[in-house]
């Protein structure tokens, strides 16, 4: 028996700019760059034309993209939805993958476009360095579960051997080696072989989901009742509806001249943090001063140190063979440190990278209560900037959908900054689109949602939210363990 998810929304009317509406009829022609060749009807109080503004350069300012987003015409599809609709999903992180998975449950075909060269997953990143076989979760570190629908999905992953409960000790670490374990409940989950293999496996049992990667969708244009996607001029297919399942500057550029001004406006309201990730492999275990053998930890939220907000031992977390080295650690900076030291993440200057590595390793020494310079030089290091790491504000709605433009958005940022939020958003987006298709596209105002919701600031750790595990919440009758002598 198939269970259908019901879209949990209170519908709000779509507010369309009066002078900026572009109507598409069932047999309309492409939107031409020459206004004289258009076969679509423009509705306006005065004569207006869509000039298909010249695409902004890669370095376009936020202000210029914002201006385009607010002055573009609104696409209005009037063609009936096809009997066998297909959805284009731009972004192969947790939200996009789960959206595709749940669309299939409703019998709807989809194609997922992702930029990943090594695999899917977005922030579910795992890096393996060969031939040494150094392994690092270098983005999402673990996740918790509080939502019943997400729990059902996680239980299936556990049955398939994709995820397991992380039993290692996790706590909060203050300067000088002052460590306090956190509550053991709720359970923490990790990918069995890292987060990226989990992402690559989510769609392994689907039959009507197509995945295209690496692919940078650079434009989508309305034509003949469909969205036509392209990558630098190369056609990438036509779709009855599209879903933007990523964010940041690339999404803003994509939406700037899309014909979806209300969706573009909501995306522009999103604020994202920047965080540095340092991957380091050590020949020996990190030193824990004093008699700490009874209280080792595998992960710690670091408090009060600017250069480090999180540290985790990937070797003990992901490997059953922990006796011998190397010992692979992931260190994350604070968001404040990331913002102050932000550079173009595609081309980090070598001098900047070396300076930041030193500062972050010094932060590790301070956190563990080690003397400066006493930490042995790592066998391997790699520094990465997550320039659009995590959302810091949210509209608090599971998904956004413009029914007139047959386009939506899903992602963790719509509800919070966790993998659970991303999964719930993907489920909601799939359910909402499926219900819209069942209506044959009639009454679009009733299906438009999230286009006018205000944003609120998010609370949580610098590396994200973990539902059920509040910052500062410690074990019952907490006992602090001093790592330093």
């Amino acid at each position: 028996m198939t269970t259908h998810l019901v879209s949990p929304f209170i519908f709000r009317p779509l507010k369309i700019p009066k002078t900026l509406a572009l109507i598409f009829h069932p047999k309309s022609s492409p939107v031409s760059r020459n206004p004289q060749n258009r076969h679509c009807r423009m509705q306006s109080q005065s004569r207006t034309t869509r000039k298909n503004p010249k695409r902004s350069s890669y370095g376009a300012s936020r202000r210029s993209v914002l201006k385009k987003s607010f002055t573009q015409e609104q696409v209005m599809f009037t063609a009936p939805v096809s009997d066998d609709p297909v959805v284009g999903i731009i972004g192969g992180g947790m939200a996009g993958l789960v959206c595709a998975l749940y669309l299939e449950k409703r019998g709807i075909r989809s194609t997922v476009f992702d930029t990943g060269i090594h695999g899917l997953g977005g922030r579910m990143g795992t890096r393996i360095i060969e031939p040494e076989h150094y392994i690092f979760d270098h983005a999402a570190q673990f996740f918790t579960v509080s939502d019943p629908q997400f729990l059902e999905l996680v239980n299936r992953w556990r049955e398939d051997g994709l995820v397991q409960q992380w039993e290692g000790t996790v706590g909060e670490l203050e300067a000088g080696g002052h460590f306090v374990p956190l509550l053991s409940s709720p359970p923490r989950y990790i990918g069995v072989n890292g987060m990226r293999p989990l992402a690559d496996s989510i769609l392994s049992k689907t039959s009507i989901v197509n995945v295209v990667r690496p692919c940078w969708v650079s434009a989508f244009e309305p034509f003949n009742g469909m969205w036509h996607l392209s990558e630098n001029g190369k056609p990438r297919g036509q779709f009855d509806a599209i879903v933007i399942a990523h964010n940041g500057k690339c999404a803003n550029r994509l939406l700037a001249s899309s014909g979806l001004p209300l969706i573009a406006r909501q995306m522009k309201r999103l604020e994202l943090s920047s965080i540095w990730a340092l991957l380091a492999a050590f020949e020996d275990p990190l030193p824990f001063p004093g008699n700490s053998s009874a209280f080792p930890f595998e992960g710690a939220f670091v408090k009060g140190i600017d250069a480090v907000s999180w540290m985790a031992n990937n070797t003990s977390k992901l490997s059953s063979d922990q006796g011998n080295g190397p010992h692979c650690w992931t260190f994350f900076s604070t968001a404040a440190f990331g913002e102050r030291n932000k550079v173009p993440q595609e081309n980090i200057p070598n001098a900047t990278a070396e300076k930041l590595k030193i500062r972050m390793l010094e932060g590790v020494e301070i956190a563990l209560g080690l003397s400066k310079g006493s930490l042995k030089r790592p066998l391997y290091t790699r520094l990465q900037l997550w320039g659009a790491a995590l959302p810091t504000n949210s509209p608090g709605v599971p998904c956004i959908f413009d029914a007139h433009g047959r386009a939506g958005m899903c992602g963790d940022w719509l509800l919070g900054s966790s993998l659970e939020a991303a999964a719930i958003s993907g489920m909601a987006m799939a359910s909402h689109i499926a219900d819209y298709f069942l209506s044959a596209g009639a009454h679009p105002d009733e299906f438009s949602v999230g286009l006018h919701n205000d944003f609120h600031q998010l609370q949580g750790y610098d590396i994200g939210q973990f539902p059920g595990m509040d910052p500062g919440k410690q074990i019952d009758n907490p006992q602090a363990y001093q790592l330093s002598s």
Side-chain angles (χ1 to χ4, degrees):
M1 181 176 68
T2 302
T3 301
H4 288 180
L5 301 176
V6 179
S7 302
F9 300 116
I10 299 175
F11 301 123
R12 299 179 61 179
L14 177 66
K15 299 178 182 178
I16 303 297
K18 292 182 179 179
T19 60
L20 297 174
L22 184 59
I23 309 297
F24 287 88
H25 292 289
K27 295 184 179 180
S28 61
S29 298
V31 178
S32 171
R33 297 180 186 276
N34 184 349
Q36 296 179 351
N37 293 336
R38 293 184 184 174
H39 302 284
C40 53
R41 179 167 58 91
M42 301 291 293
Q43 285 189 338
S44 63
Q45 295 175 341
S46 60
R47 185 175 180 178
T48 59
T49 58
R50 180 174 182 172
K51 297 183 178 180
N52 234 355
K54 183 178 178 182
R55 187 180 305 163
S56 60
S57 65
Y58 183 77
S61 70
R62 185 175 188 271
R63 179 176 297 177
S64 66
V65 174
L66 185 65
K67 183 177 180 180
K68 282 187 178 182
S69 298
F70 289 169
T71 60
Q72 61 181 302
E73 300 139 337
Q74 169 69 45
V75 170
M76 302 278 283
F77 285 110
T78 60
V81 176
S82 64
D83 294 334
D84 184 21
V86 60
V87 178
I89 301 172
I90 305 170
M94 175 69 86
L97 297 176
V98 171
C99 181
L101 181 66
Y102 277 73
L103 282 172
E104 173 161 305
K105 292 177 182 294
R106 299 288 295 269
I108 298 172
R109 296 181 294 134
S110 66
T111 295
V112 177
F113 298 93
D114 190 70
T115 60
I117 297 174
H118 304 289
L120 297 164
R123 299 190 193 107
M124 299 170 65
T126 301
R127 189 176 296 276
I128 300 176
I129 309 302
E130 301 292 6
E132 298 86 353
H133 200 69
Y134 301 152
I135 183 169
F136 306 90
D137 274 338
H138 65 113
Q141 297 293 288
F142 66 94
F143 61 91
T144 57
V145 180
S146 64
D147 179 83
Q149 293 184 47
F150 186 48
L151 177 60
E152 181 180 338
L153 182 60
V154 171
N155 284 338
R156 289 202 296 271
W157 291 342
R158 294 186 71 181
E159 293 171 1
D160 293 339
L162 300 176
V163 301
Q164 63 186 6
Q165 190 170 333
W166 186 14
E167 302 288 357
T169 301
V170 175
E172 292 185 345
L173 180 65
E174 295 184 2
H178 188 73
F179 177 73
V180 179
L182 293 174
L183 282 167
S184 58
S185 180
R188 298 179 296 270
Y189 295 98
I190 56 176
V192 169
N193 297 306
M195 288 298 186
R196 173 157 286 159
L198 168 61
D200 290 335
S201 300
I202 288 176
L203 300 180
S204 61
K205 294 184 178 181
T206 57
S207 59
I208 57 174
V209 178
N210 184 34
V211 175
V212 179
R213 71 165 184 85
C215 176
W216 292 79
V217 174
S218 57
F220 46 81
E221 298 179 332
F223 167 44
N224 215 22
M226 305 282 283
W227 282 107
H228 290 245
L229 274 60
S230 61
E231 179 185 17
N232 298 322
K234 179 181 179 181
R236 284 297 189 178
Q238 59 187 49
F239 304 92
D240 295 88
I242 53 173
V243 174
I244 295 90
H246 71 123
N247 53 43
K249 61 184 180 183
C250 294
N252 285 323
R253 290 191 183 97
L254 191 60
L255 287 166
S257 57
S258 62
L260 300 167
L262 301 180
I263 283 183
R265 181 178 62 184
Q266 290 296 72
M267 180 66 80
K268 289 302 299 183
R269 289 176 174 174
L270 173 63
E271 299 172 354
L272 296 162
S273 66
S274 297
I275 292 177
W276 286 96
L278 174 61
L279 314 181
F282 298 88
E283 183 175 4
D284 300 314
L286 289 186
F288 296 114
N291 183 16
S292 61
S293 59
F295 307 107
F297 65 82
E298 294 185 5
F301 296 97
V302 182
K303 301 175 65 177
I305 299 176
D306 186 45
V308 184
S309 70
W310 167 262
M311 54 192 299
N313 186 339
N314 296 276
T315 303
S316 58
K317 184 176 81 168
L318 299 174
S319 174
S320 57
D321 181 16
Q322 304 176 23
N324 300 318
H327 299 268
C328 301
W329 284 79
T330 296
F331 305 109
F332 284 136
S333 76
T334 63
F337 182 90
E339 185 65 30
R340 284 197 307 273
N341 295 282
K342 190 173 182 178
V343 297
Q345 64 187 56
E346 300 83 4
N347 186 21
I348 302 174
N350 291 334
T352 300
E354 289 304 313
K355 178 185 70 174
L356 295 179
K357 285 179 186 178
I358 292 172
R359 291 181 63 184
M360 291 184 71
L361 289 174
E362 288 176 348
V364 173
E365 289 177 331
I366 295 171
L368 296 177
L370 304 175
S371 58
K372 186 175 181 179
S374 63
L375 191 64
K376 289 187 177 180
R377 184 180 181 87
L379 300 171
Y380 167 88
T381 58
R382 180 184 178 91
L383 191 70
Q384 176 175 346
L385 173 63
W386 291 99
L390 291 166
T392 61
N393 63 344
S394 169
V397 61
C399 65
I400 292 175
F401 189 64
D402 178 348
H404 287 281
R406 296 178 183 171
M409 293 192 292
C410 63
D412 63 342
W413 61 277
L414 291 162
L415 289 171
S417 60
S418 66
L419 285 182
E420 179 179 85
I424 294 172
S425 180
M427 294 177 194
M429 186 80 266
S431 177
H432 199 66
I433 288 177
D435 290 344
Y436 170 75
F437 285 163
L438 282 177
S439 76
H443 311 295
D445 286 339
E446 296 180 2
F447 282 91
S448 293
V449 65
L451 297 170
H452 307 287
N453 287 64
D454 293 329
F455 281 60
H456 62 273
Q457 292 299 307
L458 293 173
Q459 302 297 322
Y461 292 103
D462 281 57
I463 67 167
Q465 295 177 324
F466 302 92
M469 197 178 79
D470 299 328
K473 197 171 185 179
Q474 301 169 353
I475 60 172
D476 295 327
N477 301 316
Q479 177 182 0
Y481 300 103
Q482 192 74 22
L483 299 183
S484 59
S485 57

